[in-house]
Amino acid sequence: KMDFKVYDYLSESAKFVRQTVFVEEQGFVNELDETDNIATHIVLYDEKKPAAACRIFAGEKSGEFILGRLAVMKDYRGKNVGSMVLAEAEKCVLAKGGKILMLHSQCRAKDFYAKSGYTEFGEIGYDEGCPHIWMKKQLG
């Protein structure tokens, strides 16, 4: 049975998922940052095992939120787990009064977000050499 837990701090399980996917698999160095201190962290568990995680935090404008660090453990990829996490993040944002959810997608992942209704805007930017594009979705 899979279920979500929402934390107002960076839980060990959220840290574990991000460390495994972004640092060990993808080679990012600056994975943990000061934004973790102000973000809401969402973790999907399979029984007690962390399967995926992401974070959301308020953007600069009222009603805007930013989603980041969405990661799915290898065993759970291709099983709609990422979409489940994205849907849960959107629910959390709506519950906080958010209207727009934005994210800085790795370019190779942008089709995943597009399938859930996100549209690209702005220029491609680089995070530790990896191309990213901003995307957003109107919620509710």
Side-chain angles (χ1 to χ4, degrees):
K1 164 186 164 341
M2 299 187 104
D3 60 340
F4 287 100
K5 280 213 174 77
V6 178
Y7 301 90
D8 57 6
Y9 60 92
L10 180 61
S11 67
E12 284 306 310
S13 43
K15 206 185 287 186
F16 172 76
V17 171
R18 287 168 48 186
Q19 181 77 24
T20 303
V21 174
F22 293 125
V23 179
E24 293 167 24
E25 284 182 26
Q26 297 182 3
F28 286 94
V29 178
N30 305 313
E31 176 48 34
L32 306 174
D33 61 21
E34 63 287 345
T35 302
D36 284 323
N37 301 326
I38 60 158
T40 297
H41 301 268
I42 299 166
V43 181
L44 176 63
Y45 292 91
D46 180 10
E47 300 300 335
K48 297 210 173 347
K49 202 167 129 196
C54 73
R55 70 182 184 188
I56 55 170
F57 55 95
E60 288 173 13
K61 295 188 187 129
S62 172
E64 275 183 0
F65 277 75
I66 296 169
L67 175 133
R69 306 300 206 264
L70 193 156
V72 176
M73 298 292 283
K74 203 176 246 155
D75 291 352
Y76 295 94
R77 291 183 199 149
K79 297 178 179 171
N80 208 33
V81 167
S83 301
M84 288 166 61
V85 174
L86 197 53
E88 186 69 14
E90 291 174 7
K91 259 194 275 186
C92 285
V93 168
L94 284 168
K96 292 174 180 289
K99 304 271 182 272
I100 292 174
L101 186 54
M102 301 189 299
L103 53 91
H104 206 209
S105 171
Q106 290 184 14
C107 286
R108 65 177 173 213
K110 67 183 185 181
D111 293 345
F112 161 75
Y113 293 107
K115 275 192 286 224
S116 290
Y118 289 79
T119 53
E120 297 174 33
F121 70 96
E123 302 292 314
I124 289 178
Y126 291 82
D127 184 358
E128 293 190 38
C130 176
H132 283 64
I133 185 79
W134 280 101
M135 300 181 81
K136 67 180 169 188
K137 180 178 179 178
Q138 184 81 37
L139 303 178

